[in-house]
């Protein structure tokens, strides 16, 4: 939304990310915990997050359940797409994390479907993109981190620590490398979550900025062309980021199952 | 003016909505709910169904391939049988052709022999007839020669014509000599 305001443009590229309740209006600035709480979003309250996550569930149901209702040997178009999605993730888990990781396939598929549809539905104009929030991506990244670390220790016991002890390096370097490896291991959830939220947020903000500039007649054609280009790019990013998050999960899972380098 | 508007806007929604921690519990709660629902949908409905369909398809394809292999073998067998029947038929045909040729040759030989015998018989008959004609001709010549000799002798030498018998024998002798020469 851009309004020419006394010679200055007021483009609010971040307003699209505001989390608000679905069924009531909150007075801006009326949530200042712990003192002022009447304008705060309650944790159980249906919000635009609820709406768009719910639509993601509906989309998943449509693609994977309604699409495959024929159970045909020769698949229909929708069943073909569902099988393609299934095969894509299944193949990824098997290739990247190994055959013994296939029992975690449903969890990884859950993450992939959620992120994919959150990203794609977020590209609908006026929609809300749940994966643009660090709260969402960090929760998933931390869940992956904790689960994978737990799997590593359960499967390999103390042998999991070999992940940090690089046998290929000279002995003198190994403690140094162990520290570096340990730091990089704990940075994983940060990069894992910030990559997704950052890419999605940046893309959506850039689109809003372009949309704002479209209000100025002089640069409107340029801004509109830019928006089309950025929209195409964002469509690509929506898929790629879902893919990247999932494949990194598989890589971490492989490290947990086979910690030796 | 612009800065004033910005400040007012900033007051309305401070900073990035992503860093508004008051919304975190709500987001995380609904995220967990959503992930659990998607997980249940996948494990209860989607994944078993798609896995079954894929396994079934693999089975069908493998079955079809096996059937195709079987049919191919059968076809090869049928082709071999056909080839054998063809070869047998060809051999039979050649045998029949050879037999027919032999029979024809036999008939031909018989006809040839018959024709040759007939030709020989006709030849012999002709020769006999020719011989008869020649004998008759010789007799006639002899008679003419006797008469001519007697007449010539009578005309030239009447004394010699008194003994026609001697003349005749002389002519005969001469003719015998001519014939012998």
């Amino acid at each position: 939304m851009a309004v020419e305001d006394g010679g200055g443009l007021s483009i609010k590229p971040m307003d699209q990310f505001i989390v608000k309740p679905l069924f009531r209006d909150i007075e801006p600035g009326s949530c200042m915990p712990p003192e002022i709480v009447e304008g705060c979003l309650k944790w159980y309250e249906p919000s635009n997050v609820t709406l768009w996550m719910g639509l993601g569930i509906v989309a998943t149901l449509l693609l994977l359940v309604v699409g495959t209702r024929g159970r045909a040997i020769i698949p229909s178009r929708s069943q073909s797409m569902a099988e393609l999605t299934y095969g894509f993730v299944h193949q990824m888990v098997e290739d990247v994390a190994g055959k013994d990781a296939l029992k975690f396939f449903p969890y990884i598929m859950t993450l992939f479907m959620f992120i994919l549809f959150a990203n794609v539905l977020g590209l609908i104009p006026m929609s809300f993109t749940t994966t643009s929030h660090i709260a969402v991506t960090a929760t998933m990244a931390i869940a992956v981190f904790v689960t994978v670390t737990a799997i590593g220790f359960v499967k390999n016991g103390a042998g999991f620590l070999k992940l940090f002890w690089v046998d290929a390096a000279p002995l003198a370097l190994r403690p140094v490398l162990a520290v570096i490896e340990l730091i990089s291991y704990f940075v994983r959830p940060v990069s894992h979550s910030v990559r997704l939220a950052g890419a999605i947020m940046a893309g959506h903000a850039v689109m809003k900025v372009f949309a704002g500039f479209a209000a100025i007649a002089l640069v409107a054609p340029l801004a509109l062309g830019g928006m089309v280009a950025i929209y195409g790019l964002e469509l690509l990013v929506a898929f790629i980021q879902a893919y990247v998050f999932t494949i990194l999960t598989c890589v971490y899972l492989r490290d947990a199952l086979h910690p030796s380098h | 003016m612009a800065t004033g508007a910005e400040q007012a806007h900033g007051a309305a929604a401070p900073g990035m909505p992503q860093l508004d921690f008051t919304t975190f519990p709500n987001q995380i709660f609904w995220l967990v709910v959503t992930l659990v629902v998607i997980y249940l949908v996948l494990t209860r409905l989607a994944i078993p169904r798609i896995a079954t369909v894929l396994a079934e398809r693999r089975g069908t394809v493998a079955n079809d391939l096996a059937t195709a292999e079987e049919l191919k073998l059968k076809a090869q067998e049928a082709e071999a049988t056909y080839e054998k029947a063809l070869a047998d038929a060809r051999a039979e045909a050649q045998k029949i052709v050879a037999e027919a040729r032999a029979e024809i040759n036999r008939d031909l030989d018989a006809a040839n022999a018959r024709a040759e015998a007939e030709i020989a018989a006709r030849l012999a008959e002709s020769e006999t007839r020719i011989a008869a004609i020649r004998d008759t001709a010789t007799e006639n010549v002899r008679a003419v020669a006797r008469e001519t000799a007697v007449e010539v002798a009578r005309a030239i030498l009447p004394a010699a014509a008194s003994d026609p018998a001697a003349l005749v024998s002389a002519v005969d002798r001469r003719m015998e000599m001519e014939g012998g020469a």
Side-chain angles (χ1 to χ4, degrees):
Chain A
M1 214 72 44
V3 184
E4 196 122 20
D5 185 17
L9 271 176
S10 124
I11 304 167
K12 299 171 182 167
M14 301 310 276
D15 279 8
Q16 58 177 323
F17 301 122
I18 293 173
V19 178
K20 47 187 174 255
L22 271 186
F23 303 116
R24 65 188 177 111
D25 281 325
I26 285 181
E27 195 68 32
S30 63
C31 179
M32 301 260 182
E35 295 90 27
I36 314 166
V37 290
E38 68 263 29
C40 288
L41 186 65
K42 296 184 189 69
W43 64 268
Y44 53 84
E45 194 171 13
S47 58
N48 46 0
V49 176
T50 319
L51 173 66
W52 288 99
M53 283 185 180
L55 288 175
I57 296 174
V58 171
T60 307
L61 270 169
L62 281 178
L63 176 65
L64 293 183
V65 178
V66 179
T68 59
R69 69 194 180 287
R71 292 179 178 84
I73 291 293
I74 298 160
S76 61
R77 285 180 206 185
S78 58
Q79 190 184 329
S80 214
M81 281 176 69
E83 285 171 11
L84 224 63
T85 316
Y86 174 96
F88 176 71
V89 180
H90 199 269
Q91 189 74 34
M92 193 196 318
V93 174
E94 193 176 340
D95 288 353
V96 176
K99 262 202 152 38
D100 46 348
L102 279 178
K103 57 175 169 291
F104 304 107
F105 164 67
Y107 299 96
I108 292 167
M109 182 88 177
T110 303
L111 284 180
F112 180 76
M113 295 315 296
F114 171 76
I115 297 169
L116 178 68
F117 278 123
N119 289 351
V120 172
L121 291 175
L123 284 173
I124 298 169
M126 309 301 290
S127 74
F128 174 80
T129 319
T130 52
T131 40
S132 68
H133 275 264
I134 193 75
V136 171
T137 60
T139 306
M140 291 191 291
I142 290 168
V144 168
F145 178 78
V146 170
T147 315
V148 157
T149 310
I151 291 169
F153 278 112
V154 168
K155 287 260 168 197
N156 308 292
F160 182 56
L161 294 173
K162 266 194 255 163
L163 184 63
F164 308 110
W165 198 250
V166 188
D167 284 331
L171 191 62
L173 272 176
R174 282 182 206 170
V176 183
L177 281 176
V179 173
I180 294 173
E181 288 279 340
L182 204 65
I183 293 170
S184 86
Y185 188 79
F186 280 98
V187 168
R188 274 178 181 182
V190 178
S191 65
H192 202 188
S193 57
V194 170
R195 181 180 297 110
L196 174 58
I200 301 300
M201 184 191 80
H204 284 250
V206 165
M207 273 203 279
K208 262 294 199 279
V209 171
F210 269 97
F213 278 114
I216 305 170
L218 206 61
V219 291
L222 203 67
L224 286 175
M227 270 194 74
V228 172
I230 296 282
Y231 193 90
L233 184 72
E234 282 308 298
L235 209 56
L236 194 69
V237 166
F239 284 100
I240 287 176
Q241 286 303 324
Y243 173 67
V244 165
F245 194 97
T246 317
I247 206 165
L248 280 175
T249 306
C250 292
V251 168
Y252 299 160
L253 188 59
R254 184 197 56 198
D255 280 349
L257 294 172
H258 314 283
S260 47
H261 282 269
Chain B
M1 197 56 188
T3 41
E6 215 115 288
Q7 269 167 0
H9 158 65
M16 285 168 66
Q18 276 85 353
L19 298 179
D20 181 0
F21 295 104
T22 60
T23 65
F24 274 33
N26 183 276
Q27 292 192 60
I28 292 169
F29 169 68
W30 289 112
L31 171 68
V32 171
V33 169
T34 306
L35 289 181
V36 168
V37 171
I38 292 180
Y39 176 78
L40 290 177
V41 166
L42 289 183
T43 50
R44 295 289 150 87
L45 294 170
I47 290 178
R49 185 184 292 178
I50 296 174
T52 312
V53 168
L54 290 181
E56 233 168 77
R57 182 170 312 144
R58 253 197 304 275
T60 309
V61 169
N63 263 352
D64 286 0
L65 282 181
T67 313
E69 190 65 28
E70 204 174 294
L71 288 177
K72 196 178 155 197
L73 281 179
K74 259 187 207 163
Q76 274 169 348
E77 219 167 274
E79 202 192 340
T81 315
Y82 165 76
E83 291 286 344
K84 194 174 166 293
L86 203 65
D88 285 355
R90 201 168 281 146
E92 184 77 9
Q94 262 161 1
K95 208 174 94 196
I96 290 170
V97 166
E99 263 170 25
R101 188 171 291 145
E103 185 143 341
I104 288 166
N105 276 345
R106 237 179 359 258
D107 287 356
L108 207 62
D109 285 350
N112 269 346
R114 253 198 327 276
E116 264 166 29
E118 186 148 336
I119 289 168
R122 292 257 178 94
L123 213 59
E125 194 181 327
S126 303
E127 268 169 10
T128 341
R129 206 177 293 161
I130 290 168
I133 290 168
R134 191 192 287 142
D135 284 355
T136 321
T138 314
E139 269 318 302
N140 290 345
V141 167
R142 194 185 300 254
V144 170
R146 280 177 194 154
E147 272 171 32
T148 313
V150 171
E151 287 303 314
V152 167
R154 190 174 290 146
I156 303 168
L157 205 65
S162 57
D163 192 3
L167 269 172
V168 168
S169 65
V171 167
D172 282 354
R173 255 198 323 273
R174 183 78 188 180
M175 272 189 76
E176 291 295 309
M177 277 166 69
E178 289 292 319

